[in-house]
Amino acid sequence: MTDYVPPKVWSPDTQSGGRFANINRPVAGPTHEKVLPVGRHPLQLYSLGTPNGVKVTVMLEELLALGHRGAEYDAWLINIGEGEQFGSGFVEVNPNSKIPALMDHSTTPPTRVFESGAILLYLAEKFGAFLPTDPPKRAACLSWLFWQMGSAPYLGGGFGHFYAYAPVKIEYCIDRFAMEVKRQLDVLDRHLAEHRYMAGDEYTIADIAIWPWYGALAAGHIYDAAEFLQTASYAHVNRWTREIAERPAVKRGRMVNRTFGRPESQLRERHDAGDFETRTQDKLEPGERA
């Protein structure tokens, strides 16, 4: 491996290669004009079925399962591979151009919320659900929520990028981030050895935030790295992963804005609860699947 000597001033002129290289850029703001669609429900979600997107769709489906009718939502697909997150309408909702982004039209004026952790907290407080009211339990829930927000970039942008997406395999980078991800899995495993859920016996937004990343990793659903990281050895993480995966709302939430996997598991846009039965990719006419 040739030693790289950074220049005095960095320039983005050289393509980095790898997946997503075509949408990476060193500036913010929109690249094109595009108005976001607005459906008939109070909550308008603009997202994609990545782990961060799944957090919010699971939360919304869990709220609906509890009977919170005000949590009805339209979920619009934002194809980040095509740069749709840089449309002017999306940037107005999230100036950071990352999914998911939420507009709450039940308020005047409508409230914009971005960053998945902020959306989970906003919805939990709005509907009084999945966030403990007891101060110590609430503190534990929020601590684990923010643990996820700080830890997952090492899993996704660190390990996942260099192990699965980088144009060349760099041993140092893969080892560095594999070490950290295994440490994080050990943190979770030790905690879940003594607790049913992240904040104790109560299922909360901490679980909803952590599961789409670390549950998916443990189950071998992301980066094809379960054997490499020996995720089967984390018995308590796997017990927790399986338990949450069986929740009906979690099963529905995983389908929303999903563009990969089996056609029957993909509900690319969700505008009504009945869409799970009638609008998955396997049930659409060929022209509607594009």
Side-chain angles (χ1 to χ4, degrees):
M1 181 175 66
T2 303
D3 288 337
Y4 169 65
V5 179
K8 290 185 178 181
V9 178
W10 179 81
S11 169
D13 294 339
T14 302
Q15 274 288 333
S16 62
R19 191 172 176 182
F20 308 119
N22 64 316
I23 60 170
N24 290 337
R25 59 196 186 107
V27 296
T31 60
H32 59 281
E33 292 295 319
K34 186 175 182 180
V35 177
L36 288 178
V38 178
R40 63 188 178 91
H41 297 303
L43 300 176
Q44 298 293 303
L45 178 66
Y46 305 96
S47 192
L48 183 67
T50 67
N52 285 333
V54 168
K55 295 177 194 176
V56 179
T57 51
V58 165
M59 178 66 171
L60 289 166
E61 292 297 329
E62 291 281 14
L63 289 168
L64 290 170
L66 286 182
H68 292 286
R69 297 179 62 186
E72 263 297 354
Y73 69 104
D74 291 275
W76 303 92
L77 182 67
I78 300 296
N79 189 333
I80 62 174
E82 299 297 324
E84 292 181 358
Q85 70 275 32
F86 301 120
S88 58
F90 189 88
V91 175
E92 287 179 8
V93 182
N94 184 357
N96 196 40
S97 293
K98 304 288 184 181
I99 61 95
L102 180 75
M103 287 294 293
D104 182 357
H105 290 267
S106 71
T107 67
T108 304
T111 301
R112 74 173 186 180
V113 196
F114 58 92
E115 290 297 323
S116 57
I119 296 173
L120 292 181
L121 184 55
Y122 177 82
L123 292 172
E125 292 182 334
K126 180 180 179 72
F127 293 102
F130 303 112
L131 180 62
T133 55
D134 174 71
K137 293 180 180 178
R138 178 185 172 92
C141 174
L142 294 179
S143 294
W144 283 110
L145 172 65
F146 286 98
W147 175 87
Q148 186 279 319
M149 298 298 291
S151 297
Y154 290 96
L155 168 54
F159 174 77
H161 176 78
F162 287 107
Y163 183 80
Y165 301 143
V168 295
K169 304 299 184 187
I170 304 172
E171 182 179 6
Y172 171 79
C173 296
I174 293 173
D175 286 351
R176 165 70 180 87
F177 289 110
M179 180 87 69
E180 173 60 13
V181 169
K182 287 186 69 67
R183 189 194 68 83
Q184 292 173 4
L185 287 168
D186 194 45
V187 169
L188 291 175
D189 204 59
R190 290 169 184 266
H191 179 73
L192 290 167
E194 299 179 356
H195 303 85
R196 181 180 180 186
Y197 296 115
M198 296 308 304
D201 292 330
E202 184 178 350
Y203 175 71
T204 69
I205 55 174
D207 301 284
I208 295 172
I210 295 169
W211 183 84
W213 279 105
Y214 294 89
L217 181 70
H221 296 323
I222 56 174
Y223 309 132
D224 194 24
E227 182 179 7
F228 180 77
L229 295 171
Q230 293 293 279
T231 61
S233 66
Y234 301 98
H236 306 292
V237 171
N238 280 280
R239 182 271 307 163
W240 168 85
T241 294
R242 290 190 296 269
E243 182 173 350
I244 292 176
E246 289 303 310
R247 296 178 67 90
V250 171
K251 293 180 180 180
R252 291 192 297 274
R254 287 190 68 224
M255 296 171 64
V256 180
N257 296 146
R258 187 180 177 93
T259 60
F260 56 92
R262 302 186 312 276
E264 62 271 23
S265 73
Q266 300 179 38
L267 182 61
R268 296 193 174 186
E269 289 191 355
R270 186 262 194 219
H271 304 291
D272 184 85
D275 290 347
F276 290 100
E277 301 299 325
T278 63
R279 300 290 297 174
T280 52
Q281 283 297 103
D282 60 309
K283 298 182 178 69
L284 298 180
E285 295 296 329
E288 297 179 276
R289 297 179 190 176

